[in-house]
Amino acid sequence: MGRRALITGITGQDGSYLSELLVSKGYEVHGLVRRVALEDPGHRLKRIEHIRNSIHLHAGSLESFPSVHHVLRTVQPDECYHLAAQSFVSYSFDDEFSTLQTNINGTHHVLAAIKDIVPKCRVYFAGSSEMFGKVAEVPQTENTRFHPRSAYGISKVAGFDLTRNYREAYGMHASNGILFNHESPRRGFEFVTRKITSGVARIRAGQASDLKLGNLDAHRDWGHAANYVEAMWLMLQQDQPDDYVVATAETHSVREFAKLAFQYAGLDYEKYIVADSQLYRPAEVDLLVGNPAKAHERLGWSSSVSLQSLVWEMVESDCRAMGIELNKDNFTASIPVRRAAHGSAVDSS
Ligand code: G4F
């Protein structure tokens, strides 16, 4: 009989790709969703519309332990992927309280209910490179000290520690993925990559004349979400639970991302981007770049999508949705690659 998986956050970017992956592997896939999502499927279940008939959805609230307990008792999963969270860093500055409450309690409820009901269930917790914050070293590894710079980052450190503690205290197969930024055409519009690619499409369609952005000099290690969910699955297939950095080992600035996105649409980004100081964060994470050597050695995982292909896929998808076909000749732009060698500063080549 196939294995049974429960995904929290199944309606999000990662949840949708992970569901596809697990369905393709013969899993019985269950998802915990908010009741409002079931009441507004056209909007809130959009990313999983195409596999809606192959998965089972359960209404529940991560903020309520009895609710999480009930769903776990009903599903009795072999594997649980805890992805659900308030995941927009910027918003966590507007409402620290709800971010901490939802993210920390949500994770605690999931772990505690699993320990009670299905202690042998393997658990994945979606940690984040935001935990590194004001980075202690470059590149970041599983051993790099955390120094979060937002309520979101703090909530993820707490989730990471809870997961490790359930592993150590109760012998649970609980693993932390330390995922660096991962994007796709399914990314939410509030995140910078999708804000840029959808903005490019609106400008090309004549529906906007500029794009307001905040800090263009922040550097991120951007990979493809469909590729990153494979690492989540691989973590739960190991004999021993552990913590893994999942990253590309390349870092690029927001400016570079924007330059490429506009270039692929045949536009010069400098003519359209407007700096808006309101969009700066009270505390910024300036430079993220991960060293995925452990994931490569132990899981056999590596990043398979270049930044150029990722940007092209996102711009093309947003433009296509506006009825605009891009000229493939624009997809030649090369960019300087900054690769992180272990223990060294990030160097340009
Ligand atoms: O796209 P972002 O909002 O993502 P951020 O904050 O790096 O967090 C994402 O990745 C984390 C993994 O490291 C996840 F854990 C988290 O859930 C989320 O998925 O912002 C990226 C960078 C920031 O430095 C931000 O200051 O882009 C900069 N930025 C500049 N202008 C902007 C904007 N970000 C947004 N969202 N909107 C802007 O207009």
Side-chain angles (χ1 to χ4, degrees), residues 87-89 128-130 152 179-181 187 190-192 195 212-215 218 220 254 279 281 284-285 288:
S87 65
F88 186 33
V89 176
S128 161
S129 54
E130 280 291 306
Y152 171 82
L179 268 58
F180 283 62
N181 297 50
R187 190 56 147 148
E190 65 273 36
F191 298 95
V192 78
K195 181 173 173 183
K212 291 189 180 60
L213 290 175
N215 183 7
R220 290 290 182 273
V254 172
L279 295 170
R281 295 174 182 178
E284 178 63 281
V285 172
L288 290 177

Side-chain angles (χ1 to χ4, degrees), residues 218-231:
H219 280 68
R220 290 290 182 273
D221 178 331
W222 279 296
H224 198 298
N227 179 211
Y228 280 34
V229 301
E230 290 169 13

Side-chain angles (χ1 to χ4, degrees), residues 89 93 129-138 140 147-150 180-181 192 214-222 250-256 280-290 338 346:
V89 176
F93 288 105
S129 54
E130 280 291 306
M131 300 188 296
F132 296 122
K134 193 173 192 308
V135 299
E137 61 177 337
V138 176
Q140 294 87 50
H147 184 146
R149 301 266 281 170
S150 62
F180 283 62
N181 297 50
V192 78
N215 183 7
L216 295 174
D217 296 315
H219 280 68
R220 290 290 182 273
D221 178 331
W222 279 296
E250 268 187 35
T251 188
H252 298 277
S253 65
V254 172
R255 185 189 310 280
E256 278 174 296
Y280 276 65
R281 295 174 182 178
E284 178 63 281
V285 172
D286 294 317
L287 169 64
L288 290 177
V289 57
R338 276 177 222 90
V346 178

Side-chain angles (χ1 to χ4, degrees), residues 22 32 63 66 99 125 139 164 206 213 257 270 313 324:
L22 297 181
L32 183 150
E63 277 149 53
T99 302
F125 171 66
R164 187 171 50 193
L213 290 175
F257 190 105
E270 287 187 338
E313 186 186 339
I324 300 161

